[in-house]
């Protein structure tokens, strides 16, 4: 699927970078009156770009990178996170959160469902949840995929209750990491800098009070496509820029496209941009090879996602008394 991506191209990367750095410095030093910033380093492009921007705006001495693996994390994630820290000369702490997650019963809750669906599941097996591409106007029904000890794949149906339970337990990982970030932030008089981009934020692809819990979000008005542009400009290690983005929360590795987006993120960005700027279907066809039917379907799905996730972008609702 081809796109003319000029419409999302950042015209002046240096100026944009300087403005984001000004924002970070003003927020942390003046508004929050903190000494520095703490960033959760996942080994992905969003956290790498955030780290690069923080180091550029505040100086590497005022930055702490927290690397928080657990037993289901990809081993490459920690290595890539270390590469980012090395590249931008920032201090890091590695905190394995496996025991914390075990105390919450995260693995037991998930594996109980997996074993019900696949009785032969053992320690050598890996598993993940996949959300298949949309069909017509409906997002594909999630299913469980298991890679057994013989490297054979098994695709299994799960109920909506199973899906919700699996994802709810998985969300605890993000909330534990947020808790650790704030402990070290408060301990050092630092601010927590989030790494959520616009493509994730608009669709609700973050965990409320998890990776959505931060003091500032410097990337939240930049599409995923634009994060890669900034990454190249800031000289983020190429192995991070070239690897497929992943939530890294399942023992069987999955990409953001497989779990979140259902279609390539470039298409997601196109539809989000078109909706925001009120482009017509004909306008979208001019910058892509999408059919009218596909465009209508994608717009409808994004509308649904934005409405359903709206509560995640709001402060807690409160009752207002009326004494008149």
């Amino acid at each position: 699927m081809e796109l003319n991506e000029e419409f999302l191209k950042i015209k002046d990367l240096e100026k944009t970078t300087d403005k984001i750095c000004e924002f970070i410095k003003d927020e942390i030093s003046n508004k929050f009156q903190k000494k520095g910033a703490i960033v959760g380093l996942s080994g992905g492009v969003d956290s790498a770009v955030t780290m690069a921007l923080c180091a550029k705006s505040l100086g590497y001495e005022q930055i702490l990178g927290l690397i928080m693996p657990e037993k289901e994390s990809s081993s490459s994630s920690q290595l890539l996170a270390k590469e980012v820290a090395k590249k931008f000369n920032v201090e890091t702490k590695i905190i394995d959160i496996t025991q914390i997650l075990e105390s919450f019963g995260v693995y037991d809750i998930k594996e109980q469902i997996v074993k019900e669906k696949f009785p032969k599941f053992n320690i050598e097996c890996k598993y993940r949840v996949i959300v298949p591409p949309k069909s017509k106007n409906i997002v594909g029904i999630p299913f469980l995929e298991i890679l057994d000890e013989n490297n054979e794949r098994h695709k299994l149906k799960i109920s909506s209750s199973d899906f919700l339970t699996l994802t709810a337990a998985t969300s605890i990982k993000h909330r534990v990491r947020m808790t650790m970030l704030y402990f070290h932030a408060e301990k050092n008089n630092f601010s927590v800098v989030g790494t959520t981009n616009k493509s994730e934020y608009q669709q609700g692809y973050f965990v409320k009070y998890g990776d959505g819990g931060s003091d500032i979000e410097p990337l939240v008005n930049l599409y995923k496509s634009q994060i890669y542009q900034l990454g190249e400009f800031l000289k983020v290690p190429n192995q991070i820029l070239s690897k497929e983005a992943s939530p890294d929360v399942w023992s069987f590795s999955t990409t953001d496209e497989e779990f979140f987006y259902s279609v390539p993120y470039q298409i997601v960005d196109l539809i989000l941009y078109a909706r925001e700027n009120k482009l017509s279907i004909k306008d979208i066809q001019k910058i892509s090879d999408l059919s009218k039917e596909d465009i209508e379907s994608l717009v409808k799905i994004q509308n649904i996602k934005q409405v359903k996730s709206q509560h995640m972008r709001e402060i807690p609702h409160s009752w207002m008394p009326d004494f008149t």
Side-chain angles (χ1 to χ4, degrees):
M1 200 170 289
E2 294 183 2
L3 282 177
N4 174 4
E5 296 185 55
E6 289 299 310
F7 70 100
L8 280 175
K9 188 173 183 180
I10 298 174
K11 294 180 175 61
D12 191 332
L13 284 163
E14 185 173 6
K15 184 177 180 180
T16 300
T17 298
D18 288 343
K19 285 191 174 296
I20 298 173
C21 288
E22 287 173 13
F23 164 78
I24 292 171
K25 188 171 184 179
D26 181 57
E27 289 286 316
I28 293 176
S29 301
N30 299 327
K31 294 181 181 175
F32 283 93
Q33 296 187 0
K34 300 293 185 180
K35 288 168 52 181
I38 184 167
V39 179
L41 282 176
S42 66
V45 66
D46 297 314
S47 66
V49 167
T50 302
M51 177 60 79
L53 290 166
C54 287
K56 184 176 177 63
S57 57
L58 301 171
Y60 69 88
E61 306 95 334
Q62 303 306 115
I63 313 296
L64 176 63
L66 223 57
I67 303 171
M68 295 171 280
E70 44 91 17
K71 74 175 188 179
E72 291 185 329
S73 301
S74 168
S75 57
S76 66
S77 296
Q78 185 172 323
L79 294 174
L80 291 172
K82 287 180 179 179
E83 280 296 311
V84 173
K86 182 180 177 182
K87 172 70 179 180
F88 300 108
N89 198 28
V90 298
E91 179 188 354
T92 60
K93 288 185 181 296
I94 300 174
I95 302 170
D96 191 313
I97 63 170
T98 299
Q99 288 188 340
I100 299 173
L101 297 175
E102 286 175 338
S103 73
F104 278 110
V106 168
Y107 305 115
D108 289 341
I109 291 169
K110 295 182 5 172
E111 288 179 10
Q112 181 179 345
I113 293 173
V114 174
K115 288 174 182 176
E116 286 175 359
K117 307 300 177 187
F118 189 72
K120 295 181 181 179
F121 182 83
N122 59 51
I123 196 171
E124 300 298 323
C125 298
K126 296 182 179 181
Y127 66 96
R128 63 185 180 181
V129 169
I130 296 289
V131 180
K134 59 87 190 175
S135 174
K136 299 293 182 183
N137 295 326
I138 303 171
V139 177
I141 298 172
F143 63 87
L144 180 68
E145 186 170 31
I146 294 173
L147 184 70
D148 67 21
E149 64 266 39
N150 299 314
N151 283 328
E152 292 184 9
R153 298 189 183 202
H154 306 266
K155 295 182 179 181
L156 306 166
K157 291 182 179 179
I158 52 174
S159 67
S160 58
S161 176
D162 289 336
F163 174 72
L164 291 173
T165 301
L166 286 166
T167 53
T170 300
S171 292
I172 295 173
K173 297 182 180 185
H174 298 286
R175 294 187 173 114
V176 167
R177 290 185 173 115
M178 180 274 292
T179 303
M180 299 306 298
L181 284 167
Y182 269 98
F183 168 70
H184 286 277
E186 292 172 4
K187 176 183 172 184
N188 291 284
N189 196 27
F190 282 4
S191 288
V192 176
V193 181
T195 65
T196 303
N197 62 60
K198 188 171 187 172
S199 307
E200 296 166 340
Y201 185 72
Q202 291 296 335
Q203 298 177 94
Y205 291 156
F206 60 93
V207 175
K208 198 170 186 178
Y209 307 121
D211 51 339
S214 61
D215 293 318
I216 63 171
E217 290 284 356
L219 305 183
V220 81
N221 289 309
L222 293 168
Y223 295 101
K224 186 76 173 185
S225 308
Q226 296 171 325
I227 304 301
Y228 281 98
Q229 295 169 42
L230 276 180
E232 289 183 16
F233 178 77
L234 292 163
K235 295 182 170 49
V236 164
N238 189 59
Q239 57 265 50
I240 291 175
L241 295 174
S242 61
K243 86 179 187 77
E244 288 190 292
S246 168
D248 196 24
V249 291
W250 308 98
S251 57
F252 187 7
S253 180
T254 184
T255 66
D256 283 354
E257 182 179 329
E258 290 170 317
F259 185 68
F260 291 128
Y261 297 136
S262 301
V263 293
Y265 70 82
Q266 297 96 330
I267 302 298
V268 174
D269 288 355
L270 166 64
I271 300 303
L272 290 173
Y273 177 89
R275 288 170 65 247
E276 183 179 18
N277 292 278
K278 297 180 172 55
L279 300 186
S280 68
I281 289 177
K282 287 185 178 179
D283 291 332
I284 299 173
Q285 286 181 308
K286 288 177 184 177
I287 53 178
S288 75
D289 64 354
L290 293 169
S291 69
K292 180 176 181 288
E293 183 183 25
D294 282 339
I295 294 169
E296 290 174 340
S297 175
L298 287 164
V299 169
K300 183 172 183 177
I301 288 172
Q302 295 308 330
N303 286 338
I304 292 170
K305 288 180 178 179
Q306 186 151 19
V307 169
K308 286 189 173 182
S309 64
Q310 181 58 35
H311 71 95
M312 299 174 67
R313 293 180 290 275
E314 299 173 350
I315 62 172
H317 294 188
S318 59
W319 172 75
M320 294 297 291
D322 181 2
F323 297 115
T324 60

